[in-house]
Amino acid sequence: MAVGRDTDRLADLGGRGVVTQLADYDDAESLQAAFAGADQLMFVSGSEVGRRVVQHGNVVTAAKQAGVKQVVYTSIAKADTSRLVLAAEHKATEQLIKDAGLPYVFLRNSWYLENYTPQLPAYLQHGVAGAADDGRVSAATRADYAEAAAVVLTTEGHTNRVYELGGTPFTMTALAAEISRQTGTTVSYLDLPVDKYTELLVAAGVPEGYAALLADGDRGLAQGDLEVGDDLAKLLGRTPTTLAEAIRAAL
């Protein structure tokens, strides 16, 4: 069964024979109805930063009441030690799941390669800017993270495991160099203090709150919070999509 708050977005799955049902993280009753009889719950973290602890608490309570036998939660890299602002809600959610006594698997995803590839036109015109210094990020594609989740859901031996997931790590300087190599256009990386990078993003039209989160992400990247090992490759049984492959596919 696939559940979500927007049934239109579930239509494609419904057309392929998947049972779909309306459920909203803000609506505890809808969650309880959706989870009834479920053995496993693929719990994708919400997108409303600042509201996720309450919303995720509703999910955990409903899963507990439904007798779900395993919760697979999409968390963030190094959630228990990360200094990223975004990590706090994930750390709290992991604790909620543990406190509820629910068997779990935590899929701690690093950044997505899709954080970078849609920006290729801007990079080619203006270069790459950030506040990541020479920190390395273990970014991977959404498809690779999804495949890893599918492996966990369909194979045994993952209960109460924590997986730190990400691809081969790279720096922002390496990102700029790879774009240059593949396009023949010289692209450089401009490293800025966190506050100056925030100002640059705001000047480019990014809402101030979101700009601050992006800049904080680079701060954490610089400190190593987004560099992880090879858990993703082990789950996939292959090398995850590389930066070079992702750029090539996006050009």
Side-chain angles (χ1 to χ4, degrees), residues 95-145:
Q95 193 61 51
L96 286 172
I97 293 169
K98 288 181 176 179
D99 289 346
L102 289 163
Y104 63 83
V105 185
F106 295 150
L107 304 179
R108 291 179 173 171
N109 296 346
S110 185
W111 263 198
Y112 302 104
L113 282 168
E114 290 87 351
N115 289 358
Y116 305 107
T117 51
Q119 300 186 65
L120 287 174
Y123 291 155
L124 288 168
Q125 184 174 1
H126 304 292
V128 179
D133 195 22
D134 60 355
R136 305 202 307 169
V137 57
S138 299
T141 63
R142 293 181 183 277
D144 281 351
Y145 287 129

Side-chain angles (χ1 to χ4, degrees), residues 131-137 170-174 189 191 218 221-224 227:
D133 195 22
D134 60 355
R136 305 202 307 169
V137 57
F170 58 88
T171 65
M172 294 301 97
T173 299
Y189 171 60
D191 194 66
D218 267 22
L221 197 165
Q223 296 175 342
E227 182 177 1

Side-chain angles (χ1 to χ4, degrees), residues 145-157:
Y145 287 129
E147 184 178 334
V151 170
V152 167
L153 290 165
T154 57
T155 59
E156 301 295 328

Side-chain angles (χ1 to χ4, degrees), residues 76-97:
I76 195 170
K78 303 179 181 178
D80 53 342
T81 60
S82 174
R83 292 148 289 189
L84 288 174
V85 170
L86 285 175
E89 290 177 311
H90 290 290
K91 180 179 180 179
T93 301
E94 290 186 4
Q95 193 61 51
L96 286 172
I97 293 169

Side-chain angles (χ1 to χ4, degrees), residues 36-49:
D39 287 326
Q40 287 197 94
L41 172 64
M42 181 67 219
F43 178 9
V44 178
S45 55
S47 59
E48 297 177 74
V49 177

Side-chain angles (χ1 to χ4, degrees), residues 35-41 66-71:
F35 298 165
D39 287 326
Q40 287 197 94
L41 172 64
V68 171
K69 295 181 177 61
Q70 181 166 272
V71 175

